Amino acid sequence: MSAMSNKLNSKLSLPVIISILLHGILIIALGYKFVSDTGENYGSINGNSIDAIMIDPSVMTEQYQRQLQTQVNQQKADQKTQELLDKQIKELAEKAEAEKAAAEKAAAEKAAAEKAAAEKAAAEKAEAEKAAAEKAAAEKAAAEKAAAEKAAAEKAAAEKAAAEKAAAEKAAAEKAAAEKAAAEKAAAEKAAAEKAAAEKAAAEKAAAEKAAAEKAAAEKAAAEKAAAEKAAAEKAAAEKAAAEKKAKQKAEQAKKDKALNDLLGGLTSGTPSSGGVASRKGVSDGELDKYKSLVQNAISNKFINPPNVYRGKTCELQIQIAPDGLLLNVTSKGGDADLCREALAATKLAVIPKPASSLYNEVKTMNIEFQPK
């Protein structure tokens, strides 16, 4: 405001200065004219005479009054000018005040607008931040929900897969067990069928061999009887003598055997004992054990021992064979019942080796302690 007042004062002082300068120039010009007019006519010769210079006081007074009036008018003009200037200054001041008020109002409005804009921007920013936070929270919640749903789905899928796997394994195990049971049943039925067939074949073979043996024996007996009848007459005396001699030797041998039997406590009485030393001639324990081992191997070859069921179990078998090794009869004398049942079946299917003729009397009825390998 002070700068504006100084500017207005500088504008107002210039007309005043110009007015004063003009008034000064005017007074100087009037004075110079007055002096020049009086000086030119004073003492000059007008025709033949010299005119005297006379100054009329009324003229001077009139001029002075005119000048004074001019000054007054000038002062009035200056006063009007001053008033006009004051009015202009006032108007300028009022205008400046109005402009200032308008500027302040505009500044206030601008500040208010800026404040409102700032508040609006802050509100919009807060609203945007709130919306962003709510959006982020919603997205986070949605992501967590999706993750939870995914985890639940994966867990359910894993549990379903585990259940299906367990069911499949159970079904496979049951199927394998059923197949195994069926296979074992089929194997047992096959073994039973083979056993029955073998027993039937063995029985038929034994019957055929027995019939053949009986026939051969009958034929041989008939031939021998015929030969004997033919030679009876010729050898009657010799046979009678030989019989008497043999009876005498037999009596002597019986007497010796009785004496030896009395001495040894009946060990040579002629009754075989299982596992002991029997009255046998020319047969060693090693040969007897070797043959029994061959018989056990023959039975083992026909014996079925699934998963070593009978490991550690034994069965005592009594076996009767023909001179060629043909099985005549087999019975169990003790041991595990199940093992004995299977051992009897295996013995009937076994091919028993033919014993040496010197060994036959010791093994034609023998006891075997069978133990599966």
Side-chain angles (χ1 to χ4, degrees):
M1 183 67 185
S2 59
M4 187 178 289
S5 299
N6 293 330
K7 186 176 181 181
L8 290 173
N9 291 330
S10 63
K11 289 182 179 179
L12 293 174
S13 60
L14 182 60
V16 174
I17 293 170
I18 293 172
S19 177
I20 294 171
L21 288 174
L22 289 174
H23 284 82
I25 293 170
L26 181 59
I27 294 170
I28 292 171
L30 291 173
Y32 178 75
K33 183 179 180 182
F34 177 74
V35 173
S36 61
D37 289 338
T38 56
E40 289 177 355
N41 296 319
Y42 182 78
S44 62
I45 299 174
N46 190 3
N48 295 315
S49 62
I50 298 172
D51 292 331
I53 298 172
M54 295 198 51
I55 298 172
D56 190 356
S58 61
V59 174
M60 292 297 291
T61 302
E62 186 179 353
Q63 289 181 354
Y64 177 74
Q65 288 179 353
R66 283 200 302 268
Q67 291 178 358
L68 184 61
Q69 186 65 38
T70 302
Q71 290 180 358
V72 170
N73 292 334
Q74 186 64 38
Q75 289 179 355
K76 287 181 179 180
D78 292 340
Q79 186 176 358
K80 289 181 179 180
T81 302
Q82 186 65 38
E83 290 176 355
L84 181 60
L85 290 173
D86 291 340
K87 184 178 180 182
Q88 291 178 352
I89 290 170
K90 184 177 179 182
E91 290 175 353
L92 290 173
E94 291 176 352
K95 184 179 180 182
E97 192 68 25
E99 290 177 355
K100 178 182 178 183
E104 290 177 351
K105 182 179 180 183
E109 291 176 352
K110 183 180 179 181
E114 290 177 352
K115 182 179 179 182
E119 290 176 352
K120 182 179 179 182
E124 291 176 351
K125 182 179 180 182
E127 189 69 23
E129 290 177 350
K130 181 180 179 182
E134 290 177 351
K135 183 180 178 182
E139 290 176 351
K140 182 179 179 182
E144 291 176 351
K145 182 179 179 182
E149 291 177 350
K150 182 180 179 182
E154 291 176 351
K155 182 180 178 182
E159 291 176 350
K160 182 180 179 182
E164 291 177 351
K165 182 180 180 182
E169 290 176 352
K170 183 179 179 182
E174 291 177 351
K175 182 179 179 182
E179 291 176 351
K180 182 179 179 182
E184 290 178 351
K185 183 179 179 181
E189 291 176 351
K190 182 179 179 182
E194 290 177 352
K195 179 181 176 183
E199 289 177 351
K200 183 179 179 181
E204 291 176 352
K205 180 181 178 182
E209 290 177 351
K210 184 178 180 181
E214 290 177 352
K215 182 178 179 181
E219 291 175 352
K220 183 179 180 181
E224 288 176 352
K225 183 178 179 181
E229 289 177 353
K230 183 178 180 180
E234 297 176 355
K235 295 181 180 179
E239 288 179 354
K240 184 178 179 181
E244 290 176 354
K245 185 179 179 180
K246 185 176 180 181
K248 185 178 179 181
Q249 290 177 350
K250 186 176 180 181
E252 290 177 357
Q253 184 65 38
K255 185 177 180 180
K256 290 179 182 180
D257 289 341
K258 185 176 183 300
L260 183 61
N261 186 40
D262 292 338
L263 179 64
L264 297 178
L267 294 178
T268 59
S269 61
T271 304
S273 60
S274 61
V277 179
S279 60
R280 56 182 182 269
K281 297 178 180 180
V283 179
S284 66
D285 292 339
E287 291 177 339
L288 184 60
D289 292 340
K290 183 177 180 181
Y291 181 75
K292 287 185 177 181
S293 177
L294 292 176
V295 173
Q296 286 192 4
N297 289 335
I299 297 172
S300 297
N301 290 335
K302 297 296 181 180
F303 184 81
I304 300 175
N305 186 16
N308 298 324
V309 173
Y310 304 109
R311 181 184 292 275
K313 298 179 180 180
T314 59
C315 177
E316 187 176 355
L317 300 174
Q318 188 179 73
I319 302 174
Q320 295 178 3
I321 61 173
D324 61 352
L326 177 66
L327 179 67
L328 299 177
N329 191 24
V330 58
T331 58
S332 64
K333 294 297 182 180
D336 185 78
D338 294 334
L339 174 60
C340 287
R341 183 179 65 253
E342 297 297 330
L344 288 172
T347 304
K348 292 176 181 179
L349 296 174
V351 179
I352 297 175
K354 179 181 179 180
S357 57
S358 61
L359 189 62
Y360 175 69
N361 289 332
E362 304 299 328
V363 298
K364 62 181 179 180
T365 300
M366 59 182 163
N367 292 336
I368 300 291
E369 188 175 354
F370 179 73
Q371 184 174 9
K373 295 182 179 179

